[in-house]
Every structure is written in structure tokens, then in C-alpha cells.
Amino acid sequence: MGLRIQRAEQRDRELVVSVMEEAFHRDPVSGWVFPDEAHRRAVHGRFLGVFVDIALAEGRIDIAEDGAAVALWLPVPAGAPEGEDPTPALMRRTADPDNERCELVGRLTGAVHPHDRAHAYLLMIGVTPDRQGEGIGAELIGTELERCDREGLPAYLEASSARSRALYERLGFRFLGHAVDLPDGPPMYPMWREPQGG
């Protein structure tokens, strides 16, 4: 333990996108959105850049000091959002306009996102492949979860694989019971964590 963490600023955008692209290049959901690997390599960074820009503008991004991992967090207030979320359409327009899956993944996850209580939303976390399995991701997430516990704030995420779901369960998240089923694709697991301790 003892990971040094810094908060990303606009000047860190390309580093964050690069870490995310490496971390998610072989992710089951990214493979479903962009089935052709060469095409994925070409457009994946633009797709992930939408999430990075949103987190920089509306939330925060934590970076492990050595640049091996990043975590994108958004504060979500209680109450259903007003109007249609423009993000899924922006994901498609920015990354791959002819690929409806760019938009569909955002619409399907948005449809199940709980809004009855304010919470911290782990939009994405990525660890570079050469550093995965070392506990960096858990430690990076743990810093924010400690804050959530102190403030009595729940946390939410969607796990994109069974492997990541198991990691999040060790951190106190619980599967909400209904997977997001991507058409002819992998399941995503909405997960909720009540604040712990007291």
C-alpha cells in the first residue's frame, strides 16, 4: 500500500486516455462495441476520450503517481435526470458515427443507473496491462471509497467482466441482480456499495 495519487488536470488528458485505451483494449465490452481490432485501435481513444472529458468537467480523475492507473469519478445527485442524456449520442458522434453500438452501450447502462440516492459513480477505472494484478486498481478506488465511508455516501459502477465484478465485490460492492445484456454481447454488472464503517 502507500500508492501516491494525484488529481488529473486538463493537461493530463492524453495520458488518461492512453492508460484507458491500453487497459480496455481487450475488455469484453470494448470488443463488442468495436469488434474489429484494427478499427478499435483507430477509434477507441476517441470513444474513451468522451468519458475523460466528462469526468474532467463534472467530476474528477485520480491518477496513480507513476501513471499506471486512472479512475474516473462523477458525483450523481438524487433524483431522476431531466431530459435525455446527451452522452450516448456524443459517444457515437465523436468516435464512430456509423456504429450504433457506441450509443447503445451508453443508453442501456443509463437506463438501469439508480437515481434514488446521491452517490459517487465510478465511471471507469483502468490499469495498464503490465501492472494489472498488483492491487493498484483496488488501492486507487479505495481512496475514494474511504471518503464515501466518512461522508456516508454510497458508490455505484458497472463491471464489464466477471473478473472485475469479483474485484469490486471484494471492495464491498454488491451486484444489483439484473445484468445489462448487450445484444449478442457480454453482460455488464450494475453494482452498488453502501457506505461502510461508522
Side-chain angles (χ1 to χ4, degrees):
M1 292 297 188
L3 185 71
R4 292 182 58 140
I5 298 168
Q6 63 190 44
R7 185 168 177 172
E9 298 181 24
Q10 189 62 43
R11 67 173 181 260
D12 301 308
R13 182 188 187 277
E14 295 314 310
L15 166 67
V16 174
V17 171
S18 174
V19 171
M20 297 296 292
E21 204 293 313
E22 275 190 74
F24 281 89
H25 187 74
R26 301 211 179 281
D27 180 79
V29 174
S30 291
W32 176 80
V33 175
F34 307 107
D36 180 79
E37 186 164 354
H39 183 66
R40 188 181 328 142
R41 184 69 68 189
V43 302
H44 200 207
R46 293 200 302 265
F47 180 75
L48 296 168
V50 173
F51 299 111
V52 172
D53 291 339
I54 290 169
L56 283 169
E58 300 176 19
R60 68 169 227 273
I61 300 175
D62 291 335
I63 307 177
E65 187 183 46
D66 63 358
V70 297
L72 285 60
W73 291 94
L74 291 176
V76 176
E82 293 183 19
E84 184 174 293
D85 182 1
T87 304
L90 178 63
M91 290 157 53
R92 179 177 181 174
R93 190 168 59 248
T94 301
D96 198 4
D98 294 329
N99 182 354
E100 70 177 345
R101 289 181 176 184
C102 287
E103 186 171 343
L104 185 58
V105 68
R107 294 212 181 283
L108 291 174
T109 55
V112 301
H113 193 130
H115 287 281
D116 55 325
R117 293 166 63 196
H119 58 275
Y121 177 28
L122 179 59
L123 184 59
M124 299 186 94
I125 179 167
V127 179
T128 58
D130 62 324
R131 301 292 303 279
Q132 291 176 5
E134 295 180 18
I136 297 171
E139 194 166 351
L140 192 62
I141 296 170
T143 301
E144 177 67 6
L145 295 181
E146 287 173 8
R147 183 188 73 81
C148 288
D149 291 344
R150 283 193 308 273
E151 298 180 8
L153 192 67
Y156 174 78
L157 57 81
E158 300 103 5
S160 61
S161 69
R163 180 176 177 236
S164 62
R165 174 182 165 177
L167 164 69
Y168 300 133
E169 286 174 341
R170 289 195 299 274
L171 295 173
F173 285 88
R174 295 292 170 256
F175 174 47
L176 289 178
H178 296 284
V180 174
D181 292 313
L182 303 174
D184 300 314
M188 296 180 73
Y189 305 99
M191 303 186 76
W192 184 266
R193 181 185 184 273
E194 289 291 337
Q196 300 178 12

